[in-house]
Amino acid sequence: MQIEQTPIAGVLLMTPARHGDARGFFSESWNRRTLRQAGVDLPEFVQDNHSLSRQAGTVRGLHYQAPPHAQGKLVRCGRGRLFDVAVDAREGSPTYGQWFGAELSFENGRQLWIPAGFLHGFVTREPDSEIVYKCTAHYDREADGAVAWDSLGIDWDVSDPVLSDKDRAAPAFADWQSPFTSEASA
Ligand SMILES: Cc1cn([C@H]2C[C@H](O)[C@@H](COP(=O)(O)OP(=O)(O)O[C@H]3O[C@H](C)C(=O)[C@H](O)[C@H]3O)O2)c(=O)[nH]c1=O
C-alpha cells in the first residue's frame, strides 16, 4: 500500500498493491488492518456507491451532505479514467476553499481519501468510466447539496461538460454558505 500526503491536510492518495500473474492481477482494494499498520485510521464506512458515466467530459459535482450526514469518501475508478477533486469547505480551516485533484483510473489503481467537510466532484476522461466509493455516512436526500463545479477555478480541463440539472443549477462557491466548520465537520 503506497500512501501519499497532499497539500491539503487530511486528504490522502493511496495505491493498494497489485499482485500480477498471467491471468491479470489481484488487489485488496480496502483493508483496514493494512492502513492501520501504515498509520492511517479511517472512520467506519457504511455505504458503497458506484456510478457509470457514459460520456467522457461528464462532470458530477461539487457535492456534499450537510451535518449530521456529512460523508467521508474513499474514491477509486473501477473502469476508465477520471479526474477526482476534493475542496476544503470547512470554515476556519487554513485550507478553506482550496482544492486538490488527482487522476484516478483503472490502470493506476489510485484512491483518494476525502474527509467529511469537503466538496467532492470528478470529470471523466474516457467514455464508460465508473467510479466506486466508500462513504462514512448513509445517503440523506434532504442533506444532499451541490456547489457550481466551475466556481472555484478548478483546472478541470473540460469545456461544455455533461451535467445533471442539479449541477447546472448549483450556486457558486462565493454565494454558498458552508454548513461545515473545521471543528465540527461531521
Ligand atoms: C448519492 C446518491 C444518490 N442516490 C440516487 C438519487 C438520484 O435518484 C440518483 C442520482 O443521484 P445524483 O444525481 O445525486 O448522483 P451523482 O450526481 O452521481 O451524485 C454523487 O456524485 C458525487 C461525486 C458524490 O460524491 C456524491 O456521492 C453524489 O452527490 O441516485 C441514491 O439513491 N443514493 C445516493 O447515495
Side-chain angles (χ1 to χ4, degrees):
M1 169 72 76
Q2 182 189 353
I3 296 167
E4 302 164 68
Q5 302 294 327
T6 70
I8 301 181
V11 176
L12 299 173
L13 269 173
M14 303 190 279
T15 308
R18 283 185 173 180
H19 307 284
D21 62 27
R23 299 165 298 172
F25 72 80
F26 179 91
S27 177
E28 294 179 358
S29 52
W30 163 248
N31 185 315
R32 180 175 294 283
R33 183 179 59 193
T34 302
L35 280 180
R36 277 199 175 133
Q37 288 169 346
V40 175
D41 197 6
L42 299 185
E44 181 193 11
F45 294 111
V46 296
Q47 179 175 315
D48 275 7
N49 290 344
H50 176 191
S51 72
L52 163 69
S53 299
R54 289 287 184 200
Q55 292 177 262
T58 298
V59 168
R60 296 182 188 241
L62 295 159
H63 299 165
Y64 66 94
Q65 287 196 167
H69 305 283
Q71 295 173 312
K73 296 166 187 167
L74 181 58
V75 185
R76 63 190 177 92
C77 179
R79 177 169 51 142
R81 187 161 55 96
L82 52 89
F83 182 69
D84 203 66
V85 174
V87 180
D88 189 352
R90 302 166 300 171
E91 301 208 13
S93 164
T95 50
Y96 178 73
Q98 290 185 29
W99 63 275
F100 173 77
E103 182 166 288
L104 310 182
S105 68
F106 168 75
E107 288 303 322
N108 70 24
R110 287 206 294 185
Q111 302 181 7
L112 188 61
W113 162 244
I114 305 171
F118 282 70
L119 308 177
H120 176 229
F122 65 90
V123 61
T124 58
R125 295 288 190 230
E126 293 175 4
D128 295 330
S129 288
E130 297 183 49
I131 191 168
V132 183
Y133 48 110
K134 308 180 82 67
C135 300
T136 61
H138 292 106
Y139 177 59
D140 183 286
R141 192 180 294 271
E142 303 311 313
D144 191 48
V147 169
W149 65 283
D150 55 352
S151 66
L152 277 138
I154 294 167
D155 184 14
W156 294 104
D157 191 19
V158 68
S159 56
D160 192 21
V162 175
L163 290 169
S164 67
D165 290 344
K166 174 180 82 173
D167 290 349
R168 199 169 284 108
F173 185 77
D175 303 330
W176 173 71
Q177 175 56 53
S178 172
F180 305 107
T181 61
S182 50
E183 290 78 41
S185 50

